[in-house]
Amino acid sequence: MNGLKASEVGFAMILILLGSVVEGFGYGLSLGTRWPYTRNIAVLMLRGDPEATHRLVATLVGLVALALAILSPGITTITGLLLVVITALFGMGTLYVLAGRAPAFVHGTHGLLAYGVFLTYLVGLVYPGVDFWTYFGAMGALHALLLAVFLGGMTTGQRGFGQTIGPFVQPQKASQWTVAAHVGAALLLVATLGWLMPAYPIAFYLAVGQVAVGFLLFHAVNLKPKDPGVIVAFHQSMVLLMSLAIVLQWH
């Protein structure tokens, strides 16, 4: 069971990173709004389409979640399975966000749920027997982190597929107001982790560095709105490391 939980944590991390690769290299609508599969999806994956790979890894996450719920039913595994199903449905919704037919809230919620899946199985692996919701309710650091994650997804959804945000001092449009809110959430995360020092020093330093990475990403999006590049995946990997640092209490 621990092997399956560890595998699910790993697959969930890979899935999140693949989502950032899809965004960073402009593959968000490479399969159109068809979901979850196309007839030649395996061929597209072998040809290097990260969106096809993302969907197939998502299937693997779902199958492992189902196996865990059957073999070891409990609050963690049932919660994880439900989150996987809901995340998948919102994943379909993100395609319509990128196509301009659904609100940015859907994109932000998808990112939030994806991290919910990752954290559910991570907590279940690291703290067996601990009720996930009780644990989560007591973790203010994770609340601040997930707020930033949600607003980061909102930022992507609000600007639209291949659209620039534009430099600004005073926000003038919805995408710029969303960026401002996301920056505020990032600073709140830094302040929260700083307030909790020395409980999560690694997460704190990562959060400080992430603010600088976020500004670089903002400029990359404005320079190349369709494919800002690998910095999107780097930005996401920093969030994953922060999550691990908080749950594992790295020092």
Side-chain angles (χ1 to χ4, degrees), residues 34-249:
R34 290 168 292 179
W35 181 92
Y37 309 113
T38 61
R39 195 166 50 185
N40 60 339
I41 191 167
V43 174
L44 292 173
M45 181 189 74
L46 293 174
R47 289 178 179 173
D49 187 328
E51 172 63 4
T53 307
H54 180 74
R55 296 194 194 185
L56 291 175
V57 173
T59 302
L60 188 57
V61 169
L63 291 173
V64 175
L66 179 60
L68 283 166
I70 293 172
L71 295 173
S72 180
I75 185 68
T76 298
T77 55
I78 298 300
T79 296
L81 179 60
L82 289 174
L83 285 174
V84 167
V85 172
I86 299 170
T87 304
L89 294 174
F90 271 87
M92 175 181 61
T94 61
L95 301 175
Y96 291 95
V97 174
L98 296 177
R101 300 203 292 259
F105 171 82
V106 173
H107 204 291
T109 303
H110 175 68
L112 185 64
L113 289 167
Y115 270 87
V117 171
F118 164 60
L119 290 170
T120 299
Y121 290 106
L122 178 63
V123 171
L125 179 65
V126 177
Y127 305 108
V130 173
D131 184 312
F132 171 76
W133 294 109
T134 300
Y135 173 87
F136 179 71
M139 294 295 291
L142 286 180
H143 301 168
L145 177 68
L146 291 177
L147 175 62
V149 166
F150 171 72
L151 289 170
M154 282 278 293
T155 298
T156 300
Q158 191 67 63
R159 77 180 180 89
F161 183 67
Q163 300 298 312
T164 186
I165 296 171
F168 66 93
V169 176
Q170 173 70 36
Q172 300 294 328
K173 55 184 181 179
S175 61
Q176 293 177 349
W177 281 107
T178 307
V179 169
H182 181 49
V183 171
L187 295 176
L188 176 63
L189 175 60
V190 171
T192 300
L193 292 170
W195 177 262
L196 295 172
M197 285 286 277
Y200 310 109
I202 301 299
F204 172 74
Y205 296 127
L206 285 169
V208 172
Q210 182 75 313
V211 173
V213 174
F215 278 108
L216 292 175
L217 176 57
F218 174 76
H219 288 295
V221 166
N222 285 325
L223 287 172
K224 298 179 67 178
K226 289 187 177 179
D227 55 338
V230 72
I231 193 168
V232 180
F234 184 71
H235 187 68
Q236 195 70 260
S237 66
M238 294 275 282
V239 182
L240 286 168
L241 287 173
M242 274 186 275
S243 304
L244 288 168
I246 291 170
V247 175
L248 300 178
Q249 298 184 354

